[in-house]
Structures are given as structure tokens and as C-alpha cells.
Amino acid sequence: MGAKGAWRSRVLGVGAALVMTGSFVLTGRAASAPPEPANRILPPLVGDLLEGRTVIIDPGHGGYDPGALGRRTQEAAINLAIGLQLRKWFQMAGARVLMTWSKPSEIPPNKKYRVQDRLTWINQQNGDVLIDIHCNSGSTVWRNPQTFYWDGAASYHLASDVQEELRYFTKSRRGVKRINQYVLRHARMPAINVEVGYVTNPVEEKLLTTPQYQKELTWAIFIGTERWLVKGRWPAELLEAPPPVDLLKR
């Protein structure tokens, strides 16, 4: 059986685990610091599960606009690194991935990349989903990622699936929130903004610049997005049926 056939077999057979991964997170846990990178081996990812899907990734800020400032880095640099790693996961799953920018030279250093220009380009790409990447800022003790949406059931459920995975990854209690953000408000596709962490928190800022942490963080974002995309392909009777007991465990 070829790679594509094996992947489809996994989806139609026991692949529900991939769809349901992270669907059952206990609430009431106290917020905690993001886990230190432990060089955990992430699952191998090959196949065509997301073949035919277009994912647009927008690393926030860039060029003349660095975004929020940490002690050692700028938000735009973290956003780009996170976006590039996230792109790898989606490409390995067979998706077509587009980015508003993928290297610093693509945004003039003396000019702000206007959000209206980004959105015009985004809406011309016929994407299935838009993932906006940002870092949060605030008190030095605030931490953990959070996912935002503006309106519509599709964006809300996408944000919920992604945040559920991020909650499991960070052991935090942060939930999904609605935000009036220009890109989310005017995107012609399901769209979310993932604030990947607080660049103003010294501990979290350090983690956000660590390649291994970036891999694990983006794996959570990828899995949440993949769950939302794949659920649209399952037969209605499967979606309505209660999940097997063994899928309640990660």
C-alpha cells in the first residue's frame, strides 16, 4: 500500500483519534507556566489528509512595525518563526500553504506593511482558513497562548478546536475570546488570531524563541486546525455518534 493509501486507511479506520485528539480537556485546572521544551518526539506526519485544502498564515507585523517588544526580541521575529514552523506541519499533511510574508526582506524596512494590503491579498487566494499569528503583551506575569475570532460559527469552532489543543499543551485555563480585529472582521474565510504567548513575560519570551518549543506549540495549533478541517469530511452519522471510550484518553 502506498503512502497515500496508508494515510487514507488510517483516516477511515482508526483515524478518528486524529480528529478527536484533544477533544476532552478537564476544566478547573490552575493556569501554569508553559512547559519547558523536553525534546519530545512528535508523531511522524506524511500523507494527503489535507490535500486540496489551502491554509493562509499571516505572521503579524514586520518591517517598520516590530509589534510588541520583549527584553531580548521583537514580536514580528517570533511571529515569523512560528509561522514558518506551522507551515511545515501543514505542508507535510498535504495542504497548500500561503504566507503573507516568509522572510524579512519581503517587507520594506522603512515601510509599514498595511493590514488593508494584507487583507486584499488574503481574500484573493481562495483559502479554506486563515491563521493570524501574534504575540500578546501586558503584565510580566501574564502568560500562555489564546485564540481569538470575530464572528461566525465556522471561525468560532475553529478557534475552539485550536484553543483546546493549546490548553492541553500549556495546562492553562485560557478560553476562546471574540475580538474586533480588522483582519478577522473582513476575511472572507474562517479566520482566527492565535496569540502564541506573552512576549512581555521573560520566561515565556525565552520559550517562544526556542526551536523545540516552537515545534510543540505549532503542533498544537496544527492539530486543532486539522481537526476542524477534517471534521467537515466525516459522514454525519459518524460525527453524531458518541466517540469510543479509548478516544477520551490522549
Side-chain angles (χ1 to χ4, degrees), residues 106-121:
E106 292 178 351
I107 302 181
N110 61 343
K111 180 181 178 182
K112 184 175 180 179
Y113 191 171
R114 296 178 67 248
V115 68
Q116 293 88 345
D117 295 336
R118 290 194 195 207
L119 190 64
T120 297
W121 179 86

Side-chain angles (χ1 to χ4, degrees), residues 9 59 73 95 162-163 171 207 232 239 250:
S9 177
T73 189
V162 169
Q163 186 60 26
K171 304 299 185 290
L207 287 174
L239 290 174
R250 285 178 181 269

Side-chain angles (χ1 to χ4, degrees), residues 145-157:
Q146 190 163 24
T147 309
F148 296 82
Y149 76 103
W150 164 239
D151 202 9
S155 294
Y156 168 74
H157 289 295

